[in-house]
Amino acid sequence: MKTSINGISVNYRDEGRGIPVILIHAFPMNQAMWDDQVLALAPICRIITMDLRGFGASDIPLGPYWMALMASDVRGLMARLGIERAILVGLSMGGYVAMSFYRNFSQAVSGLVLADTRAAADSAEGRERRFASAGKAERDGVESIVEEMVQVLLSQPTINTRRDVVTRVRAIALENQGEGLAAAQRGMADRPDSTEMLAGADCPALVIVGADDRLSPPEEARSWQERMPNSRLAIIPGAGHLSNIEQPDHFNRLIADFISMLQS
Ligand code: MLT
């Protein structure tokens, strides 16, 4: 479905009934990365996914797409759907957006799930790498960065033995356009450090990380999760960075348990 938010057309899904849960996707993916979650969780909650600006079938306005801007798109979609409070589930870039949302609209968050993401800002080298990748995506198109990304998004055993998963991740990434990816990279490069903000966040939180996540490793996740007062850490074996795609059953169970904990 499409709706207009902050002056752009946004593509989204709204399935099921009950407590609202909003899933915010990673880079360079789109809302299709949540298909397994929508299927499994719609019977127990109201589940909303969206293509963030610049991704999937949403508009691709000029960037950079700062995390606060994407968070305000999420807030706009909530308002459009008549949702006052929701559980936010953000994976990687989606986690950065969820952190920004919490920073700006904490009253609208009933629970926070941060998966395969990082609280720290980018290092100077990380920012340079992003700017280079943004330029490449803009100049040579999405194809020019996808292969390299797939190699780090998934765990090595998945890359070696699960062709269906590799094909699916590649196909989702290729649905995006270079301009949108570039604008998101530049926005991510500008994101603030959220470590202290999260240490002061008292909403119920679940931090999930794939045991083989090379982009946001478990030890790093533990270092900021331990400082969040009302949080717990779950490590998913057999998963890299896209833990919801590599181990959907485990990921879905964690979300379902978190929802039922919030309802009890
Ligand atoms: C993602 O999966 O969203 C990206 O790895 C985030 C990033 O580039 O920091």
Coordinates of all heavy atoms in Angstrom, one line a residue, residues 26-27 91-93 96 130 153 188 215 241, ligand 1:
A26 N 17.0 -3.1 7.1 CA 18.5 -2.8 7.1 C 18.8 -2.2 5.7 O 18.0 -2.1 4.8 CB 19.2 -4.1 7.3
F27 N 20.1 -1.9 5.6 CA 20.7 -1.4 4.3 C 21.5 -2.5 3.7 O 22.2 -3.2 4.5 CB 21.7 -0.2 4.7 CG 22.5 0.3 3.5 CD1 22.0 1.4 2.8 CD2 23.6 -0.3 3.1 CE1 22.8 1.9 1.7 CE2 24.4 0.1 2.0 CZ 23.9 1.2 1.3
L91 N 16.6 -3.4 12.5 CA 17.8 -4.2 12.3 C 18.8 -3.4 11.5 O 18.6 -2.8 10.5 CB 17.4 -5.5 11.5 CG 18.5 -6.6 11.4 CD1 17.9 -8.0 11.5 CD2 19.4 -6.4 10.3
S92 N 20.0 -3.3 12.1 CA 21.2 -2.6 11.5 C 20.8 -1.1 11.3 O 20.5 -0.4 12.2 CB 21.7 -3.3 10.3 OG 23.0 -2.8 10.1
M93 N 20.7 -0.7 10.0 CA 20.3 0.7 9.7 C 19.0 1.0 10.4 O 18.7 2.1 10.9 CB 20.3 1.0 8.2 CG 19.8 2.4 7.9 SD 19.7 2.7 6.1 CE 18.2 1.7 5.7
Y96 N 19.5 2.0 13.8 CA 19.9 3.4 13.9 C 18.6 4.3 13.8 O 18.5 5.3 14.6 CB 20.8 3.9 12.8 CG 22.0 3.0 12.5 CD1 22.6 3.0 11.2 CD2 22.7 2.3 13.5 CE1 23.8 2.3 10.9 CE2 23.8 1.5 13.2 CZ 24.3 1.5 11.9 OH 25.5 0.8 11.7
R130 N 32.0 4.9 3.7 CA 30.6 5.1 3.3 C 30.6 6.1 2.1 O 29.8 5.9 1.2 CB 29.8 5.7 4.4 CG 29.3 4.7 5.3 CD 28.2 5.3 6.2 NE 28.1 4.6 7.4 CZ 27.5 3.4 7.6 NH1 27.0 2.8 6.5 NH2 27.4 2.8 8.7
L153 N 27.1 -9.4 4.7 CA 25.8 -9.4 5.4 C 25.5 -10.8 6.0 O 24.8 -10.9 7.0 CB 24.7 -9.0 4.5 CG 24.6 -7.5 4.0 CD1 23.6 -7.3 2.9 CD2 24.3 -6.6 5.2
M188 N 23.7 7.8 7.2 CA 24.2 7.0 8.3 C 25.6 7.5 8.7 O 25.9 7.5 9.9 CB 24.4 5.5 7.8 CG 23.1 4.8 7.7 SD 23.3 3.0 7.5 CE 23.7 2.9 5.7
L215 N 29.6 -7.4 11.0 CA 29.4 -5.9 10.9 C 29.1 -5.3 12.3 O 29.5 -4.2 12.6 CB 28.3 -5.6 9.9 CG 28.7 -5.9 8.5 CD1 27.5 -5.6 7.6 CD2 29.9 -5.1 8.0
H241 N 24.9 -11.1 10.0 CA 24.3 -9.8 10.2 C 22.8 -9.8 10.0 O 22.0 -9.1 10.7 CB 25.0 -8.8 9.3 CG 24.7 -7.4 9.5 ND1 25.0 -6.8 10.7 CD2 24.2 -6.4 8.7 CE1 24.6 -5.5 10.6 NE2 24.1 -5.3 9.4
Ligands
MLT1 C1 22.9 -2.5 7.5 O1 22.8 -3.7 7.5 O2 21.9 -1.8 7.6 C2 24.2 -1.8 7.4 O3 25.2 -2.8 7.6 C3 24.3 -0.7 8.3 C4 25.6 0.1 8.2 O4 26.1 0.2 7.1 O5 26.1 0.6 9.2

